[in-house]
Amino acid sequence: MTTPSAEAGPRPVVVVVSADHADTLMSEFERYRRDYDITCASSAIEAIALLGRLRSEGHQVALIVTESELSDMNLLEALSAFRSIVPTARRVVGIHWSRFLQHSETLRPALQKGKFDTFLLIPRGPRDEEFHYAITELLSDWGATVAAPEVEVLRIISPALTPLTMSIRDFLERMGMPYRTYSPDSSAGRSALALWSADGNRIPADGTVVEVADAPGGAHTPVPTPLVHSLRGTADTVIAPASVRDVAEMLYGRPSDIELETIVDLAVVGAGPAGLAAAVYAASEGLSTVVIESEAVGGQAGTSSMIRNYLGFPRGISGMRLAQRARTQAVRFGARFFTGWPVESLVVEDSAAPYRLRTEGGEVCARSVLISTGVAYRRLGIADLEDLVGLGVHYGAAMSAAREMDGHDVFVVGGGNSAGQAAIHLARYARSVTIVVRRPDLTSTMSQYLVGEIAFNPRITVRGSSEVVDGGSAGHLEWITLRNRSTGAQERCAAAGLFLLLGASPHCDWLPDDVERDDDGFVLTGRDVSHDRWTGDVPPANLATSEPGLFAAGDIRAGSMKRVAAASGEGASVVPLVHTWLESLRQIQTS
């Protein structure tokens, strides 16, 4: 595993592969020269040699832009060779306008299988901003998932990648918060320690402690780890968090920040796609809106490395970026977010009175509530592996852990789209990625575009009719045991990472018993609500629960589609129902 580091290397490189249109392409990339080294190869063979040299010298290649026709090698063979050398680089095919119709049709099947990221028309004149919009998107995606951030908002001070350190890193990745990890004896670590000590802090009795030589306060000063140093605002803040929630509170506050007498129109519990869509539409229509999220904004969708079938994003978008854009949009309209605070209970006082949501950080009173808490990944239930969560074993995609898998063998358990996206992202770093699925193959549970991309990727294999039955090591995952469900045969495999995406368990134990749920614990809405809870012969609205003013949307709702677009649509569709409910409340209160 890699150790915490913060050393900046040479500038990342953009490689142009072109013979016939090199001057045009190099001219277009002049605008990026401040931040990237721009270099050109006139043939595929020359590009392969160049990429090999750049890799051996420690350069990061951010982007490869190649002409659609190469003189010395088939284009798809060249792209495959490029990826084998620098799998993290984004790959673009530039097509000259005279060949665009012909070549774009020929290349489309390869694009569908993920052999490259996009094809673009080579600019025919200045200010082709559509071309540069696509290039900037790809460079932004590379920068968010591969490169260390140039501008830090937070610093994590930790001597090793402990479970808490990994959890904090994963939270910050999902929140789109730029950070870097430093060792305690680095200059950044000593600076954070000095600030922490100057504030009169003392090491908790149960804290994890290391000693730093020549640190402020003594020759060998004990330091609690991890420390989190916030560089936001006019005054730096350093904390020794006991949990991710401490970091979330430092960054985003707590629900008790809302005045007790304030009653909001809508409280959204859960900031996945459904909750985010509801927050955007509710706030934009003038409803006072508060969103309470137990983990990071985006929910399970926020952990997806690349969602390629979401409407309006032809080159795909990461779940984190989609979630953070939606959050920014909702905040712009006036919605307030509190992150890291699970709702512990919901008190329903009476049909005309507000709901009361209780968290450890305070209470929120609301006239209506949307339940959009989504689902949690099911636990594997193997004690030795549960003990290694955060130490090579991860529930969900754990995007921050992908870089730690460089050169190792990793396993992804699950057959849904989230598992497929995680496997493709991990394959940029890991030596091999094995998808373990209980069914014979992926075709019945995963979108076809992902199945095709996985089949093409030489680093990914699929183990059908298989399950994980054991695993372990001392201190970090080193091996797992797979069992063939058809034959019963078992095989022990070396593994540095195990990513568990095991399907859905509803997350609504905090709801009162009066809120009806199905046998699996998902919230019932509309006609699925018991007939005796209807108003006469009229069932609740499609997204309304058995309690007036309480709605459900997204994966938590019984019968939902379990897709990002469907959840977003449900979240937006709740807002008219909230308006209707609020109007009925006003009528009750004035009668």
Side-chain angles (χ1 to χ4, degrees):
M1 297 300 117
T2 59
T3 56
S5 174
E7 291 300 321
R11 290 192 304 177
V13 182
V14 172
V15 174
V16 174
V17 186
S18 175
D20 296 335
H21 305 286
D23 290 345
T24 299
L25 287 169
M26 289 296 287
S27 175
E28 290 295 332
F29 279 94
E30 279 299 314
R31 66 164 71 179
Y32 304 95
R33 193 171 288 282
R34 188 194 71 174
D35 300 315
Y36 300 87
D37 286 335
I38 315 297
T39 187
C40 184
S42 60
S43 67
I45 297 299
E46 184 181 336
I48 289 170
L50 172 63
L51 293 171
R53 178 175 60 78
L54 290 171
R55 186 184 66 175
S56 65
E57 293 176 356
H59 294 269
Q60 287 189 304
V61 178
L63 184 69
I64 302 170
V65 182
T66 179
E67 256 191 277
S68 59
E69 220 167 36
L70 299 172
S71 60
D72 58 341
M73 187 178 291
N74 174 273
L75 174 66
L76 298 182
E77 291 178 355
L79 287 167
S80 178
F82 298 163
R83 179 160 76 169
S84 68
I85 300 169
V86 280
T88 58
R90 304 309 188 250
R91 300 175 306 282
V92 175
V93 176
I95 308 176
H96 189 262
W97 65 270
S98 63
R99 304 166 185 161
F100 189 78
L101 290 178
Q102 174 192 353
H103 285 192
S104 61
E105 286 300 315
T106 303
L107 289 171
R108 192 164 283 115
L111 178 64
Q112 291 171 346
K113 294 180 180 179
K115 296 184 179 182
F116 55 96
D117 292 287
T118 193
F119 57 70
L120 299 171
L121 183 66
I122 294 175
R124 299 176 65 180
R127 295 182 301 280
D128 187 341
E129 299 305 339
E130 284 299 314
F131 175 86
H132 290 287
Y133 182 77
I135 294 297
T136 301
E137 273 192 331
L138 291 166
L139 290 174
S140 176
D141 176 59
W142 178 85
T145 56
V146 179
E150 295 295 331
V151 178
E152 306 163 330
V153 174
L154 288 101
R155 293 172 175 172
I156 302 172
I157 313 302
S158 181
L161 297 178
T162 66
L164 177 56
T165 300
M166 290 299 297
S167 295
I168 293 170
R169 285 176 51 166
D170 193 53
F171 172 76
L172 297 176
E173 293 265 0
R174 293 171 63 186
M175 293 302 296
M177 191 67 64
Y179 74 91
R180 297 180 82 171
T181 306
Y182 294 85
S183 62
D185 57 2
S186 66
S187 60
R190 296 174 194 277
S191 174
L193 173 60
L195 286 170
W196 185 80
S197 301
D199 287 339
N201 291 301
R202 296 292 180 267
I203 297 171
D206 57 351
T208 302
V209 176
V210 298
E211 289 191 348
V212 178
D214 303 322
H220 289 277
T221 299
V223 185
T225 60
L227 293 175
V228 175
H229 183 186
S230 173
L231 306 174
R232 303 171 80 198
T234 56
D236 290 3
T237 304
V238 180
I239 64 170
S243 67
V244 175
R245 179 184 297 171
D246 293 338
V247 179
E249 181 180 347
M250 176 178 70
L251 295 173
Y252 304 111
R254 51 198 291 144
S256 61
D257 293 342
I258 297 175
E259 297 293 335
L260 289 177
E261 63 270 19
T262 300
I263 302 173
V264 299
D265 293 322
L266 175 63
V268 178
V269 185
L276 288 166
V280 169
Y281 281 93
S284 71
E285 295 181 14
L287 300 180
S288 55
T289 305
V290 166
V291 183
I292 307 172
E293 166 58 47
S294 62
E295 295 181 358
V297 169
Q300 284 192 9
T303 68
S304 295
S305 60
M306 186 58 63
I307 303 170
R308 295 197 182 276
N309 60 349
Y310 191 76
L311 183 67
F313 294 91
R315 286 174 290 275
I317 184 170
S318 72
M320 179 275 288
R321 289 192 177 278
L322 183 64
Q324 294 308 320
R325 289 182 183 184
R327 177 182 178 274
T328 300
Q329 198 172 9
V331 168
R332 180 179 181 180
F333 289 124
R336 299 186 65 182
F337 283 76
F338 295 98
T339 303
W341 297 101
V343 174
E344 297 184 330
S345 65
L346 170 67
V347 178
V348 185
E349 297 184 349
D350 63 63
S351 60
Y355 290 99
R356 188 178 297 272
L357 297 160
R358 292 175 173 164
T359 77
E360 285 189 10
E363 296 184 352
V364 174
C365 293
R367 297 181 181 88
S368 63
V369 174
L370 171 62
I371 307 163
S372 53
T373 46
V375 293
Y377 290 114
R378 292 199 301 269
R379 309 298 289 190
L380 189 62
I382 298 172
D384 287 345
L385 290 175
E386 295 292 345
D387 290 341
L388 292 172
V389 171
L391 297 169
V393 177
H394 306 277
Y395 281 95
M399 300 298 294
S400 63
R403 299 183 188 94
E404 314 305 326
M405 299 296 111
D406 189 24
H408 295 283
D409 301 311
V410 305
F411 291 77
V412 176
V413 181
N417 280 7
S418 294
Q421 290 158 353
I424 290 167
H425 181 66
L426 286 163
R428 297 174 187 251
Y429 304 90
R431 177 172 54 194
S432 71
V433 179
T434 302
I435 301 176
V436 180
V437 61
R438 295 165 65 91
R439 296 174 184 264
D441 55 43
L442 302 172
T443 55
S444 63
T445 57
M446 190 177 292
S447 293
Q448 183 58 43
Y449 82 93
L450 284 170
V451 174
E453 194 165 345
I454 286 166
F456 165 75
N457 195 310
R459 295 191 179 192
I460 305 176
T461 58
V462 179
R463 291 280 292 261
S465 302
S466 299
E467 60 187 352
V468 177
V469 295
D470 198 6
S473 78
H476 196 283
L477 180 71
E478 292 180 356
W479 59 272
I480 62 171
T481 298
L482 298 179
R483 185 177 76 88
N484 186 294
R485 290 168 53 81
S486 300
T487 66
Q490 296 190 8
E491 179 184 357
R492 181 162 166 162
C493 307
L498 178 64
F499 296 81
L500 302 164
L501 299 97
L502 295 169
S505 295
H507 187 229
C508 53
D509 295 341
W510 52 277
L511 289 171
D513 293 338
D514 288 344
V515 179
E516 290 190 353
R517 282 155 273 188
D518 67 11
D519 292 340
D520 294 319
F522 293 90
V523 177
L524 296 174
T525 57
R527 290 185 174 275
D528 293 333
V529 171
S530 299
H531 197 280
D532 59 4
R533 305 291 291 274
W534 294 15
T535 303
D537 289 329
V538 179
N542 285 342
L543 300 172
T545 71
S546 55
E547 289 292 327
L550 187 63
F551 306 93
D555 290 0
I556 193 63
R557 190 179 66 83
S560 66
M561 187 178 172
K562 307 295 187 292
R563 284 291 187 267
V564 174
S568 300
E570 289 187 6
S573 299
V574 161
V575 177
L577 306 180
V578 171
H579 280 296
T580 301
W581 165 247
L582 294 178
E583 181 58 32
S584 69
L585 272 185
R586 282 190 285 270
Q587 292 175 0
I588 292 172
Q589 292 165 357
T590 57
S591 62

mmCIF file of all heavy atoms in Angstrom, residues 475-499:
data_model
loop_
_atom_site.group_PDB
_atom_site.id
_atom_site.type_symbol
_atom_site.label_atom_id
_atom_site.label_comp_id
_atom_site.label_asym_id
_atom_site.label_seq_id
_atom_site.Cartn_x
_atom_site.Cartn_y
_atom_site.Cartn_z
ATOM 1 N N GLY A 475 -3.785 -7.299 9.928
ATOM 2 C CA GLY A 475 -3.703 -5.853 9.776
ATOM 3 C C GLY A 475 -4.227 -5.292 8.482
ATOM 4 O O GLY A 475 -4.641 -4.145 8.426
ATOM 5 N N HIS A 476 -4.219 -6.058 7.392
ATOM 6 C CA HIS A 476 -4.738 -5.594 6.110
ATOM 7 C C HIS A 476 -5.098 -6.811 5.269
ATOM 8 O O HIS A 476 -4.449 -7.854 5.360
ATOM 9 C CB HIS A 476 -3.704 -4.732 5.371
ATOM 10 C CG HIS A 476 -4.295 -3.921 4.268
ATOM 11 N ND1 HIS A 476 -4.629 -4.453 3.050
ATOM 12 C CD2 HIS A 476 -4.628 -2.609 4.195
ATOM 13 C CE1 HIS A 476 -5.133 -3.506 2.269
ATOM 14 N NE2 HIS A 476 -5.137 -2.369 2.959
ATOM 15 N N LEU A 477 -6.142 -6.667 4.463
ATOM 16 C CA LEU A 477 -6.582 -7.784 3.637
ATOM 17 C C LEU A 477 -5.453 -8.288 2.744
ATOM 18 O O LEU A 477 -4.779 -7.500 2.077
ATOM 19 C CB LEU A 477 -7.772 -7.343 2.768
ATOM 20 C CG LEU A 477 -8.333 -8.423 1.837
ATOM 21 C CD1 LEU A 477 -9.057 -9.498 2.635
ATOM 22 C CD2 LEU A 477 -9.264 -7.811 0.796
ATOM 23 N N GLU A 478 -5.273 -9.599 2.731
ATOM 24 C CA GLU A 478 -4.263 -10.207 1.865
ATOM 25 C C GLU A 478 -4.834 -11.334 1.008
ATOM 26 O O GLU A 478 -4.274 -11.645 -0.037
ATOM 27 C CB GLU A 478 -3.097 -10.753 2.701
ATOM 28 C CG GLU A 478 -2.268 -9.665 3.380
ATOM 29 C CD GLU A 478 -1.139 -10.250 4.200
ATOM 30 O OE1 GLU A 478 -1.053 -11.506 4.302
ATOM 31 O OE2 GLU A 478 -0.340 -9.464 4.757
ATOM 32 N N TRP A 479 -5.924 -11.945 1.460
ATOM 33 C CA TRP A 479 -6.483 -13.070 0.702
ATOM 34 C C TRP A 479 -7.980 -13.214 0.974
ATOM 35 O O TRP A 479 -8.485 -12.756 1.998
ATOM 36 C CB TRP A 479 -5.773 -14.385 1.053
ATOM 37 C CG TRP A 479 -5.856 -14.756 2.514
ATOM 38 C CD1 TRP A 479 -4.998 -14.378 3.502
ATOM 39 C CD2 TRP A 479 -6.879 -15.541 3.151
ATOM 40 N NE1 TRP A 479 -5.412 -14.871 4.718
ATOM 41 C CE2 TRP A 479 -6.562 -15.605 4.536
ATOM 42 C CE3 TRP A 479 -8.015 -16.214 2.701
ATOM 43 C CZ2 TRP A 479 -7.336 -16.308 5.447
ATOM 44 C CZ3 TRP A 479 -8.798 -16.908 3.617
ATOM 45 C CH2 TRP A 479 -8.448 -16.957 4.968
ATOM 46 N N ILE A 480 -8.666 -13.823 0.015
ATOM 47 C CA ILE A 480 -10.059 -14.217 0.203
ATOM 48 C C ILE A 480 -10.236 -15.632 -0.327
ATOM 49 O O ILE A 480 -9.409 -16.127 -1.112
ATOM 50 C CB ILE A 480 -11.041 -13.274 -0.516
ATOM 51 C CG1 ILE A 480 -10.818 -13.300 -2.030
ATOM 52 C CG2 ILE A 480 -10.934 -11.849 0.023
ATOM 53 C CD1 ILE A 480 -11.895 -12.572 -2.824
ATOM 54 N N THR A 481 -11.298 -16.275 0.090
ATOM 55 C CA THR A 481 -11.647 -17.602 -0.424
ATOM 56 C C THR A 481 -12.959 -17.500 -1.183
ATOM 57 O O THR A 481 -13.958 -16.981 -0.655
ATOM 58 C CB THR A 481 -11.788 -18.630 0.701
ATOM 59 O OG1 THR A 481 -10.529 -18.759 1.378
ATOM 60 C CG2 THR A 481 -12.196 -19.996 0.151
ATOM 61 N N LEU A 482 -12.975 -17.983 -2.426
ATOM 62 C CA LEU A 482 -14.167 -18.015 -3.250
ATOM 63 C C LEU A 482 -14.711 -19.434 -3.318
ATOM 64 O O LEU A 482 -13.938 -20.401 -3.407
ATOM 65 C CB LEU A 482 -13.868 -17.523 -4.664
ATOM 66 C CG LEU A 482 -13.376 -16.081 -4.823
ATOM 67 C CD1 LEU A 482 -13.119 -15.782 -6.289
ATOM 68 C CD2 LEU A 482 -14.388 -15.108 -4.251
ATOM 69 N N ARG A 483 -16.024 -19.542 -3.280
ATOM 70 C CA ARG A 483 -16.669 -20.858 -3.419
ATOM 71 C C ARG A 483 -17.546 -20.857 -4.656
ATOM 72 O O ARG A 483 -18.322 -19.925 -4.888
ATOM 73 C CB ARG A 483 -17.531 -21.170 -2.200
ATOM 74 C CG ARG A 483 -18.145 -22.581 -2.223
ATOM 75 C CD ARG A 483 -18.924 -22.867 -0.962
ATOM 76 N NE ARG A 483 -20.212 -22.178 -0.969
ATOM 77 C CZ ARG A 483 -21.335 -22.683 -1.491
ATOM 78 N NH1 ARG A 483 -21.312 -23.881 -2.070
ATOM 79 N NH2 ARG A 483 -22.454 -22.007 -1.452
ATOM 80 N N ASN A 484 -17.395 -21.890 -5.478
ATOM 81 C CA ASN A 484 -18.252 -22.064 -6.640
ATOM 82 C C ASN A 484 -19.593 -22.617 -6.174
ATOM 83 O O ASN A 484 -19.668 -23.697 -5.584
ATOM 84 C CB ASN A 484 -17.599 -23.013 -7.651
ATOM 85 C CG ASN A 484 -18.399 -23.112 -8.933
ATOM 86 O OD1 ASN A 484 -19.517 -23.602 -8.954
ATOM 87 N ND2 ASN A 484 -17.800 -22.657 -10.024
ATOM 88 N N ARG A 485 -20.663 -21.882 -6.435
ATOM 89 C CA ARG A 485 -21.983 -22.279 -5.943
ATOM 90 C C ARG A 485 -22.529 -23.513 -6.645
ATOM 91 O O ARG A 485 -23.419 -24.185 -6.120
ATOM 92 C CB ARG A 485 -22.956 -21.119 -6.114
ATOM 93 C CG ARG A 485 -22.662 -19.955 -5.172
ATOM 94 C CD ARG A 485 -23.448 -18.715 -5.543
ATOM 95 N NE ARG A 485 -24.874 -18.940 -5.666
ATOM 96 C CZ ARG A 485 -25.740 -19.003 -4.663
ATOM 97 N NH1 ARG A 485 -25.305 -18.836 -3.418
ATOM 98 N NH2 ARG A 485 -27.023 -19.214 -4.868
ATOM 99 N N SER A 486 -21.993 -23.835 -7.817
ATOM 100 C CA SER A 486 -22.469 -25.003 -8.549
ATOM 101 C C SER A 486 -21.774 -26.279 -8.097
ATOM 102 O O SER A 486 -22.409 -27.326 -7.906
ATOM 103 C CB SER A 486 -22.265 -24.800 -10.053
ATOM 104 O OG SER A 486 -22.967 -23.668 -10.504
ATOM 105 N N THR A 487 -20.448 -26.200 -7.905
ATOM 106 C CA THR A 487 -19.668 -27.401 -7.583
ATOM 107 C C THR A 487 -19.275 -27.491 -6.122
ATOM 108 O O THR A 487 -18.889 -28.559 -5.646
ATOM 109 C CB THR A 487 -18.394 -27.437 -8.437
ATOM 110 O OG1 THR A 487 -17.544 -26.339 -8.048
ATOM 111 C CG2 THR A 487 -18.718 -27.319 -9.913
ATOM 112 N N GLY A 488 -19.306 -26.377 -5.404
ATOM 113 C CA GLY A 488 -18.851 -26.349 -4.017
ATOM 114 C C GLY A 488 -17.352 -26.209 -3.866
ATOM 115 O O GLY A 488 -16.851 -26.101 -2.737
ATOM 116 N N ALA A 489 -16.619 -26.194 -4.983
ATOM 117 C CA ALA A 489 -15.159 -26.084 -4.920
ATOM 118 C C ALA A 489 -14.759 -24.709 -4.397
ATOM 119 O O ALA A 489 -15.385 -23.693 -4.710
ATOM 120 C CB ALA A 489 -14.561 -26.317 -6.302
ATOM 121 N N GLN A 490 -13.699 -24.688 -3.589
ATOM 122 C CA GLN A 490 -13.219 -23.444 -3.006
ATOM 123 C C GLN A 490 -11.812 -23.138 -3.516
ATOM 124 O O GLN A 490 -11.024 -24.046 -3.769
ATOM 125 C CB GLN A 490 -13.217 -23.522 -1.476
ATOM 126 C CG GLN A 490 -14.602 -23.671 -0.885
ATOM 127 C CD GLN A 490 -14.623 -23.504 0.628
ATOM 128 O OE1 GLN A 490 -13.630 -23.130 1.238
ATOM 129 N NE2 GLN A 490 -15.773 -23.777 1.230
ATOM 130 N N GLU A 491 -11.526 -21.839 -3.648
ATOM 131 C CA GLU A 491 -10.216 -21.402 -4.125
ATOM 132 C C GLU A 491 -9.769 -20.194 -3.308
ATOM 133 O O GLU A 491 -10.524 -19.245 -3.125
ATOM 134 C CB GLU A 491 -10.289 -21.013 -5.601
ATOM 135 C CG GLU A 491 -8.958 -20.514 -6.157
ATOM 136 C CD GLU A 491 -9.074 -20.048 -7.595
ATOM 137 O OE1 GLU A 491 -10.178 -20.167 -8.168
ATOM 138 O OE2 GLU A 491 -8.059 -19.540 -8.136
ATOM 139 N N ARG A 492 -8.546 -20.249 -2.798
ATOM 140 C CA ARG A 492 -7.969 -19.125 -2.065
ATOM 141 C C ARG A 492 -7.231 -18.220 -3.043
ATOM 142 O O ARG A 492 -6.392 -18.684 -3.812
ATOM 143 C CB ARG A 492 -7.027 -19.632 -0.979
ATOM 144 C CG ARG A 492 -6.404 -18.538 -0.143
ATOM 145 C CD ARG A 492 -5.859 -19.093 1.146
ATOM 146 N NE ARG A 492 -4.975 -18.160 1.831
ATOM 147 C CZ ARG A 492 -4.645 -18.238 3.113
ATOM 148 N NH1 ARG A 492 -5.146 -19.200 3.859
ATOM 149 N NH2 ARG A 492 -3.834 -17.366 3.661
ATOM 150 N N CYS A 493 -7.553 -16.907 -3.011
ATOM 151 C CA CYS A 493 -7.005 -15.950 -3.976
ATOM 152 C C CYS A 493 -6.326 -14.802 -3.242
ATOM 153 O O CYS A 493 -6.849 -14.297 -2.242
ATOM 154 C CB CYS A 493 -8.116 -15.382 -4.857
ATOM 155 S SG CYS A 493 -9.147 -16.610 -5.686
ATOM 156 N N ALA A 494 -5.169 -14.381 -3.746
ATOM 157 C CA ALA A 494 -4.531 -13.180 -3.213
ATOM 158 C C ALA A 494 -5.414 -11.978 -3.527
ATOM 159 O O ALA A 494 -5.931 -11.850 -4.635
ATOM 160 C CB ALA A 494 -3.149 -13.010 -3.826
ATOM 161 N N ALA A 495 -5.582 -11.090 -2.549
ATOM 162 C CA ALA A 495 -6.456 -9.927 -2.727
ATOM 163 C C ALA A 495 -5.982 -8.794 -1.834
ATOM 164 O O ALA A 495 -5.830 -8.977 -0.628
ATOM 165 C CB ALA A 495 -7.902 -10.285 -2.409
ATOM 166 N N ALA A 496 -5.766 -7.634 -2.431
ATOM 167 C CA ALA A 496 -5.430 -6.442 -1.644
ATOM 168 C C ALA A 496 -6.651 -5.585 -1.380
ATOM 169 O O ALA A 496 -6.635 -4.732 -0.495
ATOM 170 C CB ALA A 496 -4.374 -5.617 -2.364
ATOM 171 N N GLY A 497 -7.720 -5.805 -2.161
ATOM 172 C CA GLY A 497 -8.934 -5.019 -1.982
ATOM 173 C C GLY A 497 -10.161 -5.852 -2.248
ATOM 174 O O GLY A 497 -10.182 -6.682 -3.169
ATOM 175 N N LEU A 498 -11.184 -5.655 -1.426
ATOM 176 C CA LEU A 498 -12.478 -6.317 -1.600
ATOM 177 C C LEU A 498 -13.552 -5.248 -1.479
ATOM 178 O O LEU A 498 -13.713 -4.638 -0.417
ATOM 179 C CB LEU A 498 -12.672 -7.402 -0.537
ATOM 180 C CG LEU A 498 -14.006 -8.156 -0.559
ATOM 181 C CD1 LEU A 498 -14.150 -8.945 -1.856
ATOM 182 C CD2 LEU A 498 -14.125 -9.086 0.649
ATOM 183 N N PHE A 499 -14.275 -5.008 -2.578
ATOM 184 C CA PHE A 499 -15.288 -3.960 -2.624
ATOM 185 C C PHE A 499 -16.656 -4.624 -2.710
ATOM 186 O O PHE A 499 -16.939 -5.339 -3.678
ATOM 187 C CB PHE A 499 -15.033 -3.042 -3.816
ATOM 188 C CG PHE A 499 -13.724 -2.301 -3.707
ATOM 189 C CD1 PHE A 499 -12.528 -2.910 -4.052
ATOM 190 C CD2 PHE A 499 -13.691 -1.002 -3.223
ATOM 191 C CE1 PHE A 499 -11.325 -2.242 -3.934
ATOM 192 C CE2 PHE A 499 -12.489 -0.320 -3.101
ATOM 193 C CZ PHE A 499 -11.309 -0.946 -3.456
#
